[in-house]
Amino acid sequence: MFCISFLLLGMTVAILGPTFPDLAKNVNQNISSLSEVFVGRALGYLCGSVVGGALFDCMNHFLLLGMSMLATTIGLYLIPFCKTATVLIAMMSVFGVSFGALDTGANVLILALWGDKGAPHMQALHFSFALGAFLAPLLAKLAWGTTASTQNHTETDFVPLMLNRSSGATSDSLFAAPEDKNLLWTYASIGTYILVVSVFLFGLFCKKHSRQKKSTASAEGARRAKYHWALLCLLFLFFFFYVGAEVTYGSYVFSFATTHVGMEESEAAGLNSIFWGTFAACRGLAIFFATLLQPGTMIVLSNIGSFVSTLFLVLFDKSPLCLWIATSVYGASMAVTFPSGISWIEQYTTLTGKSTAFFVIGGTLGEMAIPGVIGILQGHYPDLPVVLYICLASAISTAVLFPVMYKLATLPL
C-alpha cells in the first residue's frame, strides 16, 4: 500500500514538468513568469514536513496519511480548473503541504512497523517514487497526449523551468473548465487513483489495533544515541548536500550538455533520461541488496561512486563519452543514499515524526538553495562547468560527513 502511494505520488510530482506549458496556457501566462509555482510547492512541502512531523507523534498514522492523500486528490482535481496564476500557485502550495506530510509520515511509519529491519522496505518505498517520477513524462506523452518536456523531475525537483512562451490576457474567472481536455484527464486520472488509495488507508485506520501494537512495541524498545541531536544536525547537512546535488544535476544536465559540451537537444534529452533511468533502476536493485548489505555499507559505496563520477566529469567535462558514462554511474550512485541514510540512523537512535521532519527539511532546503546558487554563479562564469564543480563539492561534503556521523553514532551510550 505504501509503495503504491509513493508510486502515484512520484507521478504526481513529476507530471508538473510535462504539463507545465499547458498549465501556463490555461492561466494565460508565459512559462518564465510562472516559475513561482515551483517555489510555492517547495514552501508548501516545507510546511507539510514540519506540521506532518509534529502530527505523526500525536495522531494515528494511517488517518493522517489518508487525509494527506485525500488533500492531494482535491488539489489534483482543482489544478486544471485554475484560470489565474495566483490560484494555481495556491493549489500547488496545498499539494506541497500534503506531499510533505505524506513523505515524512510514510518514512516514520516504515520505521515504526519494521524498525532497523526495515531497510528493504525503505528502499522499496523510495524506488516506487522514482519509478513513478520516471514513468510520468512517458505516460503524459504517450497515453494522455499532453506536451512532454525534455526533462524529468523527481521527489524533490522544484527548480523553475527556463522556457519561454507568449502570454495572453488574464482570465476573468478564478475557476473554469480547461480548453485542453487531455490536461483535465491527466490530473483527474491520477487524482482518482490516489483517492482509491486514500480509501484503503482509511480502511487501515479502522482496523488499526494490530498496527498499534506493533508501533507500541517499537516505541518501548526505543534507542537514543549519546549525541542524538548532533547526529540529526549532521544528517540535516548530509541530506542538504545530497538532495541538492541530485536535483541540481538532474535539472541542469540538459542545458549543460547543449551549451557546454555542444550536444544536440535529442542527445541531451537522452542524457537526462539515462540519469533518471539508472537512478530508478538502482533503487529497484537496492531492494534486494538491502537484505545483504548494511545501510552504512551502501552509503559508503554510494559516496565512492558519486565522488569518482563527479571527479571524472570535472576532469573530462568536454568529452561526450565521459559524460554518458559518468552520468550513468552518478545516477546509480545517488539512488540509494536517501533511504539508506534513514535506515542507517534508525540503527543507532529511534526517529520520531519531528526528528524525521528535521532532516527531510534539510534535503528540501538543499534542493531549493543549491540550484539557485548555481544559477547565479553560472551567470557570472558562463564558460565554467559550475554545475560539475558544485556536484563534486557536494560529493566531497557527504563523503566527509558520513565518517563523522558514524563515529558519533558508535560512541557508547
Side-chain angles (χ1 to χ4, degrees), residues 149-178:
S149 72
T150 55
Q151 298 188 42
N152 294 323
H153 300 272
T154 61
E155 56 194 314
T156 51
D157 191 0
F158 302 128
V159 183
L161 302 176
M162 298 304 176
L163 304 171
N164 290 306
R165 190 183 181 101
S166 60
S167 60
T170 58
S171 177
D172 295 330
S173 58
L174 297 179
F175 293 96

Side-chain angles (χ1 to χ4, degrees), residues 316-344:
F316 305 100
D317 60 294
K318 293 289 187 178
S319 170
L321 178 61
C322 179
L323 188 58
W324 279 99
I325 297 174
T327 296
S328 302
V329 175
Y330 192 42
S333 301
M334 298 288 278
V336 303
T337 305
F338 193 91
S340 295
I342 299 176
S343 299
W344 175 81

Side-chain angles (χ1 to χ4, degrees), residues 15-38:
I15 203 62
L16 178 59
T19 59
F20 195 44
D22 302 296
L23 291 174
K25 181 181 179 181
N26 202 39
V27 298
N28 293 317
Q29 295 284 328
N30 59 44
I31 294 178
S32 59
S33 66
L34 201 59
S35 60
E36 291 85 357
V37 164
F38 296 91

Side-chain angles (χ1 to χ4, degrees), residues 307-394:
F307 173 73
V308 172
S309 56
T310 52
L311 180 62
F312 271 82
L313 284 170
V314 169
L315 294 178
F316 305 100
D317 60 294
K318 293 289 187 178
S319 170
L321 178 61
C322 179
L323 188 58
W324 279 99
I325 297 174
T327 296
S328 302
V329 175
Y330 192 42
S333 301
M334 298 288 278
V336 303
T337 305
F338 193 91
S340 295
I342 299 176
S343 299
W344 175 81
I345 193 68
E346 176 66 16
Q347 292 179 324
Y348 300 99
T349 186
T350 300
L351 296 176
T352 63
K354 295 185 182 69
S355 56
T356 303
F358 179 70
F359 60 73
V360 167
I361 290 171
T364 307
L365 291 176
E367 66 180 312
M368 293 173 63
I370 292 181
V373 170
I374 288 180
I376 296 173
L377 293 177
Q378 196 68 68
H380 287 86
Y381 307 99
D383 297 328
L384 295 178
V386 176
V387 59
L388 302 185
Y389 293 154
I390 296 296
C391 288
L392 176 60
S394 297

Side-chain angles (χ1 to χ4, degrees), residues 134-153:
F134 178 72
L135 291 176
L138 301 178
L139 294 175
K141 183 177 182 180
L142 299 177
W144 293 317
T146 56
T147 303
S149 72
T150 55
Q151 298 188 42
N152 294 323
H153 300 272

Side-chain angles (χ1 to χ4, degrees), residues 121-246:
H121 305 282
M122 188 68 69
Q123 297 289 350
L125 185 74
H126 289 270
F127 163 70
S128 300
F129 186 97
L131 181 62
F134 178 72
L135 291 176
L138 301 178
L139 294 175
K141 183 177 182 180
L142 299 177
W144 293 317
T146 56
T147 303
S149 72
T150 55
Q151 298 188 42
N152 294 323
H153 300 272
T154 61
E155 56 194 314
T156 51
D157 191 0
F158 302 128
V159 183
L161 302 176
M162 298 304 176
L163 304 171
N164 290 306
R165 190 183 181 101
S166 60
S167 60
T170 58
S171 177
D172 295 330
S173 58
L174 297 179
F175 293 96
E179 297 179 3
D180 186 357
K181 299 306 178 184
N182 286 329
L183 179 67
L184 176 61
W185 167 245
T186 299
Y187 280 85
S189 59
I190 299 179
T192 301
Y193 295 143
I194 293 179
L195 178 62
V196 173
V197 174
S198 68
V199 171
F200 278 100
L201 288 171
F202 285 126
L204 289 174
F205 165 67
C206 296
K207 298 181 179 180
K208 62 186 177 180
H209 300 292
S210 61
R211 304 306 197 279
Q212 279 186 330
K213 291 178 181 177
K214 290 182 179 179
S215 297
T216 303
S218 176
E220 290 173 355
R223 298 175 299 275
R224 189 177 181 88
K226 183 178 181 179
Y227 297 101
H228 175 80
W229 283 106
L231 273 174
L232 292 182
C233 290
L234 289 174
L235 198 63
F236 178 98
L237 293 175
F238 183 87
F239 283 145
F240 177 91
F241 289 112
Y242 158 72
V243 177
E246 173 199 316

Side-chain angles (χ1 to χ4, degrees), residues 82-147:
C82 296
K83 302 303 290 185
T84 66
T86 302
V87 176
L88 179 61
I89 294 170
M91 286 295 104
M92 284 297 178
S93 299
V94 172
F95 164 72
V97 171
S98 61
F99 170 50
L102 181 61
D103 190 15
T104 302
N107 286 300
V108 173
L109 192 51
I110 290 289
L111 297 175
L113 293 177
W114 286 284
D116 55 8
K117 304 296 182 183
H121 305 282
M122 188 68 69
Q123 297 289 350
L125 185 74
H126 289 270
F127 163 70
S128 300
F129 186 97
L131 181 62
F134 178 72
L135 291 176
L138 301 178
L139 294 175
K141 183 177 182 180
L142 299 177
W144 293 317
T146 56
T147 303

